Amino acid sequence: MDANSSSPASPSSPQITLRQLELFCAAARTGSFTAAAQERYVTPNAVAGAVTDLETALKVRLCVRRRARGLELTGAGEALLARAQHLLVTAEDLVLNIGDHDGAPRGPVRLGCYTTLAATLIPPLWEHVSAHLPGVRLDMVEGTATELAEQVTAGRLDMLIAYEVGLSPELAARTLFTTEPQVILPADHRLAAHRAPVPLTELAEDPLILLDLPPAGENTLELMRQHGLRPRIAHRTTSFELVRSMVARGFGYSLLFQRPHIDVSHEGRALVSLPTEPALPAEPIVLAHDHQVPLTSRAAAVAAAASELFARTPHQ
């Protein structure tokens, strides 16, 4: 054979496509081929075929199909999911920014916010982003810290804003600001008139209206246990405004980390917010994302905008 002649080409290896990864991630996220198909507007066979093609190309089993429980990812499937989400986010960022000569970030940023913080944090952030990042569109979701963290790690949200307490170490967090817990009292409460820090021991026999929206409820009870108190819980609720309305009507006191700018309940009844004695530790409000998935340029721009905005805006 002539030394310069080329050898026959070897059979090509199976190729992985972004579409296959997209359908695999949808199946992993929803737990079934049918649900993934509905989400991505394809047939269940198309989703199953994409997963099978990936398994063939990678020579591993990615998931186990169980009728009663849907899809269960194998170890290899979990590893692929994390990397695939990163790759898909990078590809989306590339498509949105290719040919972007002015360097301005553009495209959607999916941001979650802890329910009780949303009403006071999202409007100013939305306004700030609209003014300084006109090419970026915020898509907002409210929920508990646990719900939002699950959506971040599943790739459905880019970032979340929540209290730092209870967040998974899988999330990389930056502090936006800190807030100190306040005792919330009805205006005619015996301790309200002094307008001084409230000794926690003075509340030992008073009923507590507990905001039980994870992780707030357990965090509040733990702080009180650390000071030797076993509060008498009169009512538990996941509604921030219901807590304030119940307190304003004299059904008890509450301990909240967030103080609205207006000291009246939803019904217009007066409330008094006072610090505690001893002072309880301040709690950071953080912006967090999956540490395994680098932020897109537009999400990083929103994160920087949030840090700048809340660093110069008073909160309490």
Side-chain angles (χ1 to χ4, degrees):
M1 178 183 291
D2 190 325
N4 293 325
S5 63
S6 58
S7 58
S10 60
S12 60
S13 301
Q15 297 297 306
I16 292 176
T17 68
L18 291 176
R19 183 60 170 169
Q20 290 169 348
L21 295 176
E22 180 185 9
L23 295 179
F24 165 73
C25 289
R29 183 170 59 249
T30 61
S32 78
F33 292 156
T34 300
Q38 293 173 344
E39 179 184 287
R40 307 315 302 175
Y41 302 103
V42 296
T43 66
N45 285 341
V47 179
V51 173
T52 298
D53 289 343
L54 284 172
E55 291 179 328
T56 300
L58 297 171
K59 298 181 175 61
V60 293
R61 188 77 174 271
L62 297 175
C63 58
V64 179
R65 292 79 160 173
R66 300 189 189 280
R67 287 187 178 181
R69 290 177 288 180
L71 294 180
E72 292 184 3
L73 295 184
T74 63
E78 294 281 1
L80 176 62
L81 179 62
R83 289 166 173 78
Q85 288 175 164
H86 179 195
L87 183 59
L88 290 171
V89 167
T90 302
E92 181 187 27
D93 202 32
L94 177 65
V95 170
L96 287 169
N97 290 286
I98 194 72
D100 179 16
H101 300 296
D102 62 4
R106 62 186 72 250
V109 173
R110 299 157 297 180
L111 178 64
C113 189
Y114 186 64
T115 298
T116 64
L117 297 172
T120 53
L121 299 190
I122 295 310
L125 179 59
W126 193 294
E127 182 179 57
H128 189 74
V129 168
S130 298
H132 296 88
L133 301 168
V136 172
R137 185 187 79 247
L138 284 180
D139 293 335
M140 303 303 311
V141 174
E142 299 173 43
T144 68
T146 300
E147 292 168 345
L148 296 175
E150 289 175 352
Q151 292 189 61
V152 168
T153 55
R156 293 193 292 272
L157 291 175
D158 296 303
M159 303 178 292
L160 65 82
I161 296 176
Y163 293 100
E164 184 179 50
V165 62
L167 284 184
S168 167
E170 294 180 1
L171 300 180
R174 68 171 74 182
T175 298
L176 297 177
F177 60 93
T178 59
T179 182
E180 297 178 357
Q182 301 267 314
V183 172
I184 311 300
L185 301 171
D188 59 356
H189 192 277
R190 67 185 186 282
L191 299 173
H194 301 294
R195 301 287 168 166
V198 175
L200 290 176
T201 53
E202 291 289 325
L203 297 171
E205 300 303 317
D206 285 41
L208 170 66
I209 309 300
L210 181 67
L211 177 63
D212 204 14
L213 186 70
E218 186 54 42
N219 188 40
T220 297
L221 295 177
E222 179 58 29
L223 284 174
M224 300 186 82
R225 288 189 202 106
Q226 290 173 4
H227 289 80
L229 299 176
R230 292 183 176 276
R232 296 174 48 231
I233 301 174
H235 184 65
R236 297 173 181 260
T237 176
T238 59
S239 170
F240 183 77
E241 286 302 330
L242 181 55
V243 167
R244 300 178 78 246
S245 291
M246 294 283 283
V247 171
R249 280 186 173 269
F251 293 118
Y253 72 96
S254 192
L255 191 67
L256 299 175
F257 281 84
Q258 183 183 0
R259 178 182 176 182
H261 295 294
I262 301 175
D263 283 328
V264 294
S265 71
H266 207 65
E267 298 177 296
R269 294 173 179 263
L271 289 160
V272 175
S273 299
L274 296 171
T276 64
E277 176 61 44
L280 297 177
E283 180 64 32
I285 308 295
V286 300
L287 183 75
H289 68 93
D290 189 337
H291 77 274
Q292 294 184 326
V293 182
L295 291 175
T296 62
S297 59
R298 59 190 182 278
V302 170
S307 295
E308 179 204 0
L309 173 65
F310 295 125
R312 57 180 171 82
T313 303
H315 292 274
Q316 186 55 46

Coordinates of all heavy atoms in Angstrom, one line a residue, residues 138-168:
L138 N -37.4 39.1 33.5 CA -37.5 38.3 34.7 C -38.7 37.4 34.7 O -39.8 37.9 34.4 CB -37.5 39.2 35.9 CG -36.2 39.8 36.4 CD1 -36.5 40.7 37.6 CD2 -35.2 38.8 36.7
D139 N -38.6 36.1 34.9 CA -39.7 35.2 35.1 C -39.7 34.8 36.6 O -38.7 34.2 37.1 CB -39.5 34.0 34.2 CG -39.7 34.3 32.7 OD1 -40.3 35.3 32.4 OD2 -39.1 33.6 31.9
M140 N -40.7 35.2 37.3 CA -40.8 35.1 38.7 C -41.6 33.9 39.2 O -42.7 33.6 38.7 CB -41.3 36.3 39.4 CG -40.6 37.6 39.0 SD -38.8 37.5 39.4 CE -38.9 36.9 41.1
V141 N -41.1 33.2 40.3 CA -41.8 32.1 40.9 C -41.7 32.3 42.4 O -40.7 32.7 42.9 CB -41.2 30.7 40.5 CG1 -41.9 29.6 41.3 CG2 -41.4 30.5 39.1
E142 N -42.9 32.2 43.1 CA -42.9 32.2 44.6 C -43.0 30.9 45.2 O -43.6 30.0 44.6 CB -44.0 33.1 45.1 CG -43.9 34.6 44.6 CD -45.2 35.3 45.0 OE1 -45.7 35.2 46.1 OE2 -45.7 36.1 44.1
G143 N -42.5 30.7 46.4 CA -42.7 29.4 47.1 C -41.9 29.3 48.4 O -41.3 30.3 48.8
T144 N -41.8 28.2 49.0 CA -41.0 28.0 50.2 C -39.6 27.8 49.8 O -39.3 27.5 48.6 CB -41.5 26.7 51.0 OG1 -41.2 25.6 50.2 CG2 -43.0 26.8 51.3
A145 N -38.7 27.9 50.7 CA -37.3 27.8 50.4 C -37.0 26.4 49.9 O -36.2 26.2 48.9 CB -36.4 28.0 51.7
T146 N -37.6 25.4 50.4 CA -37.4 24.0 49.9 C -37.9 23.8 48.5 O -37.2 23.2 47.7 CB -38.1 23.0 50.9 OG1 -37.6 23.1 52.2 CG2 -37.9 21.6 50.4
E147 N -39.1 24.3 48.2 CA -39.6 24.2 46.9 C -38.7 24.9 45.9 O -38.4 24.4 44.8 CB -41.0 24.8 46.8 CG -42.1 24.0 47.6 CD -43.4 24.8 47.8 OE1 -43.4 26.0 47.5 OE2 -44.4 24.2 48.1
L148 N -38.3 26.1 46.2 CA -37.5 26.9 45.3 C -36.1 26.2 45.1 O -35.6 26.2 43.9 CB -37.3 28.3 45.8 CG -38.6 29.1 45.9 CD1 -38.3 30.5 46.5 CD2 -39.2 29.3 44.5
A149 N -35.5 25.7 46.1 CA -34.2 25.0 46.0 C -34.3 23.8 45.1 O -33.4 23.6 44.3 CB -33.7 24.6 47.4
E150 N -35.4 23.1 45.2 CA -35.6 21.9 44.4 C -35.6 22.3 42.9 O -35.1 21.6 42.0 CB -36.8 21.1 44.8 CG -36.7 20.4 46.1 CD -38.0 19.8 46.6 OE1 -39.0 20.0 45.9 OE2 -37.9 19.0 47.6
Q151 N -36.3 23.4 42.6 CA -36.5 23.9 41.3 C -35.1 24.4 40.7 O -34.8 24.3 39.5 CB -37.5 25.0 41.2 CG -38.9 24.5 41.5 CD -40.0 25.5 41.2 OE1 -40.1 26.0 40.0 NE2 -40.7 25.9 42.2
V152 N -34.3 25.0 41.6 CA -33.0 25.4 41.1 C -32.1 24.3 40.8 O -31.5 24.2 39.7 CB -32.3 26.3 42.2 CG1 -30.8 26.5 41.9 CG2 -33.0 27.7 42.4
T153 N -32.1 23.2 41.6 CA -31.2 22.1 41.4 C -31.7 21.2 40.2 O -31.0 20.5 39.6 CB -31.1 21.2 42.6 OG1 -32.4 20.8 43.1 CG2 -30.3 22.0 43.7
A154 N -33.1 21.4 39.9 CA -33.6 20.6 38.8 C -33.5 21.4 37.5 O -33.8 20.9 36.4 CB -35.1 20.4 39.1
G155 N -33.0 22.6 37.6 CA -32.7 23.4 36.4 C -33.9 24.2 35.9 O -33.9 24.9 34.9
R156 N -35.0 24.3 36.7 CA -36.2 25.0 36.3 C -36.1 26.5 36.7 O -36.8 27.4 36.1 CB -37.5 24.4 36.9 CG -37.8 23.1 36.4 CD -39.2 22.6 36.8 NE -39.4 22.4 38.2 CZ -39.1 21.2 38.8 NH1 -38.7 20.2 38.1 NH2 -39.3 21.1 40.1
L157 N -35.2 26.8 37.7 CA -34.9 28.2 38.1 C -33.4 28.5 38.0 O -32.6 27.6 38.2 CB -35.4 28.5 39.5 CG -36.9 28.5 39.8 CD1 -37.2 28.6 41.3 CD2 -37.6 29.6 39.0
D158 N -33.1 29.7 37.6 CA -31.6 30.1 37.6 C -31.1 30.4 39.0 O -30.0 30.0 39.3 CB -31.4 31.3 36.7 CG -31.8 31.0 35.2 OD1 -31.2 30.1 34.7 OD2 -32.6 31.7 34.7
M159 N -32.0 31.1 39.8 CA -31.5 31.5 41.1 C -32.8 31.6 42.0 O -33.9 31.5 41.5 CB -30.9 32.9 41.0 CG -29.7 33.0 40.1 SD -29.1 34.7 40.0 CE -30.4 35.6 39.1
L160 N -32.5 31.8 43.3 CA -33.6 32.1 44.2 C -33.1 33.1 45.2 O -31.9 33.3 45.5 CB -34.0 30.8 44.9 CG -33.0 30.1 45.9 CD1 -32.9 30.7 47.3 CD2 -33.3 28.6 46.0
I161 N -34.1 33.8 45.8 CA -33.9 34.7 46.9 C -34.7 34.2 48.1 O -35.9 33.9 48.0 CB -34.4 36.2 46.6 CG1 -33.6 36.8 45.5 CG2 -34.3 37.0 47.8 CD1 -34.0 38.1 45.0
A162 N -34.0 34.0 49.2 CA -34.6 33.4 50.4 C -33.7 33.7 51.6 O -32.6 34.2 51.5 CB -34.8 31.9 50.2
Y163 N -34.2 33.3 52.8 CA -33.4 33.3 54.0 C -32.4 32.2 53.9 O -32.6 31.2 53.3 CB -34.2 33.1 55.3 CG -35.2 34.2 55.6 CD1 -36.6 34.1 55.2 CD2 -34.8 35.4 56.2 CE1 -37.5 35.2 55.5 CE2 -35.7 36.4 56.5 CZ -37.0 36.3 56.1 OH -37.9 37.3 56.4
E164 N -31.2 32.5 54.4 CA -30.1 31.5 54.3 C -30.4 30.3 55.1 O -30.0 29.2 54.7 CB -28.8 32.2 54.7 CG -27.6 31.3 54.6 CD -26.3 31.9 55.0 OE1 -26.3 32.5 56.1 OE2 -25.3 31.9 54.2
V165 N -31.1 30.4 56.2 CA -31.3 29.3 57.1 C -32.0 28.1 56.4 O -33.0 28.4 55.6 CB -32.1 29.7 58.3 CG1 -33.5 30.2 57.9 CG2 -32.2 28.6 59.3
G166 N -31.5 27.0 56.5 CA -32.1 25.8 55.9 C -31.8 25.5 54.5 O -32.2 24.5 53.9
L167 N -31.0 26.4 53.8 CA -30.7 26.2 52.4 C -29.7 25.1 52.3 O -28.8 24.9 53.1 CB -30.2 27.5 51.7 CG -31.2 28.5 51.4 CD1 -30.6 29.7 50.6 CD2 -32.4 27.9 50.5
S168 N -29.8 24.3 51.2 CA -28.9 23.2 50.9 C -27.5 23.7 50.7 O -27.3 24.7 50.0 CB -29.4 22.4 49.7 OG -28.4 21.5 49.3

